[in-house]
Amino acid sequence: MINNTITSPKGFLASGISCGIKTSGKKDIALLCCPAGAVAAGVFTTNKIVSAAVEAAKAHLKSRIIEAVIVNSGNANTCTGKKGLEDASKMCQAVADFIDCRPEQVLVASTGIIGRKLPMDKILPGISAAAQELSNDPVGGFDFASAIMTTDTVEKQAVKRFKLGNKTVTISGTVKGAGMIAPNMATTICVLTTDANISKPMLKKALKESIGNSLNKLTVDGHQSTNDTAFLLSSCMAGNTPIKSAGRDYEKFSRGLFEICYDLAEQMALDAEGATRVFKVLITGAANQAQAQKAARAVADYDLVKCAIHGGDPNWGRIICAVGSCGVKINPEKLTCKLDNITVFRNGAPCKFDTKKASAVISKPFHTITVGLGVGKAEDFCLGCDLSKEYVTINADYHT
């Protein structure tokens, strides 16, 4: 069996089990270990309210070597005060005891319902059970991916193998997230592994760039979680010449990491809460990249656009409205809009187009909306999804 999970790079073991946090009985404890030690980097939510797990993980990332990642789903451990911090520390200590390392060499993440204290009477035995199930085969990696899920309907995984010199390097990742996805230098819960021999500073640089150009370009509902976390761990066991600075090997590694992250972002969009369609908003002709990104996100987040796409309605007026109201510089006389290759608005005026063909375009599982602002040369994009009745149903029932 080909291993396309987070245990595919050399040096990693993983597991996922159910300890009873979720009343459904589904897996809710995920454990990843690198027995030989890994260099690690992370990015997090910029929400001012954060999980105790985020606070603990930020502190532990200062360690030179990381040996494990412990994740629980079903409970966010957010707004839980001093007890929440104590419980996050206990989770790290429990893992450290089983794999014989220091607790600060363990990273922790939590996801789920906000405002409830962790059921430590279930989690601590769960960590023990997960430690005993650790393996480097596809089953362990798949179980890890399953155990970090909340409202997701499918596991999301990606892997890439390529050569650095004459050595094969592997990058793999898994992510959970189907709602509250509008991150800034982070995304829900994402765990990435690699065996590339790379220094911690360059690993951190690659992660920040890759997340920023992929997962950070995804919005489901315009809301950011309190728990957004992305980790990248490298066992450095591939045997390639160490990557210590920018250059050809770093660029190749960074490109591979970006492709993994972009793949995961598309999988998240396809599995967004209640989503039936995914779309890409490409903004061109902007004054600068920041304005291009602002306009792209404004369209992708605009509820009326999302509803129109769900209904297969090529309502370009809502797209133009979203761009015009978001505060970026535009030239109304040069403003254009296309749905895939169908131009529906050109130089500030509507075009004649086949409504049925346009409707067929936006009814596809994936299409691109291109808007030209007519003021510069900068461009950027954002991934979004339609807004369905199912989204309302899921989020109305989530807490109870």
Side-chain angles (χ1 to χ4, degrees), residues 40-64 66 85 88 92 103-104 106-109 184-186 200 204 224 226-231:
V43 289
F44 303 90
T45 181
T46 55
N47 196 317
K48 299 300 183 183
I49 306 298
V50 300
S51 166
V54 169
E55 294 187 54
K58 283 182 176 180
H60 291 190
L61 271 172
K62 296 175 183 178
S63 299
R64 186 178 65 85
I66 295 297
L85 290 170
C92 294
E104 59 267 27
V106 179
L107 301 178
V108 59
N184 181 13
M185 296 319 302
K200 185 168 183 172
K204 183 176 181 179
Q224 183 185 63
T226 55
N227 292 55
D228 295 340
T229 299
F231 296 134

Side-chain angles (χ1 to χ4, degrees), residues 35-232:
V39 293
V43 289
F44 303 90
T45 181
T46 55
N47 196 317
K48 299 300 183 183
I49 306 298
V50 300
S51 166
V54 169
E55 294 187 54
K58 283 182 176 180
H60 291 190
L61 271 172
K62 296 175 183 178
S63 299
R64 186 178 65 85
I65 294 295
I66 295 297
E67 293 200 18
V69 175
I70 181 69
V71 184
N72 78 271
S73 58
N75 186 313
N77 194 16
T78 301
C79 299
T80 49
K82 184 179 178 181
K83 182 66 165 57
L85 290 170
E86 292 173 351
D87 289 343
S89 296
K90 287 179 181 178
M91 290 175 66
C92 294
Q93 183 66 63
V95 174
D97 289 343
F98 279 103
I99 65 173
D100 193 24
C101 72
R102 299 191 307 276
E104 59 267 27
Q105 292 178 304
V106 179
L107 301 178
V108 59
S110 298
T111 181
I113 296 174
I114 292 172
R116 294 181 179 175
K117 292 181 173 59
L118 291 175
M120 298 304 291
D121 60 325
K122 297 177 180 179
I123 288 177
L124 295 180
I127 291 174
S128 174
Q132 295 172 46
E133 295 292 327
L134 285 168
S135 69
N136 63 356
D137 61 26
V139 174
F142 184 84
D143 286 346
F144 183 99
S146 299
I148 67 174
M149 293 166 53
T150 48
T151 58
D152 309 66
T153 64
V154 295
E155 297 79 6
K156 303 164 186 68
Q157 302 180 94
V159 66
K160 185 174 181 63
R161 299 174 178 89
F162 55 95
K163 291 283 189 178
L164 285 182
N166 63 350
K167 302 297 182 180
T168 298
V169 167
T170 303
I171 305 175
S172 186
T174 184
V175 69
K176 64 78 54 182
M180 291 189 77
I181 299 171
N184 181 13
M185 296 319 302
T187 177
T188 60
I189 303 295
C190 177
V191 180
L192 301 149
T193 58
T194 182
D195 49 19
N197 193 340
I198 182 170
S199 69
K200 185 168 183 172
M202 300 311 293
L203 194 75
K204 183 176 181 179
K205 174 179 170 65
L207 178 64
K208 185 175 181 180
E209 292 173 347
S210 295
I211 292 290
N213 289 317
S214 58
L215 290 154
N216 273 7
K217 299 298 177 67
L218 170 64
T219 178
V220 169
D221 46 25
H223 299 288
Q224 183 185 63
S225 169
T226 55
N227 292 55
D228 295 340
T229 299
F231 296 134
L232 171 59

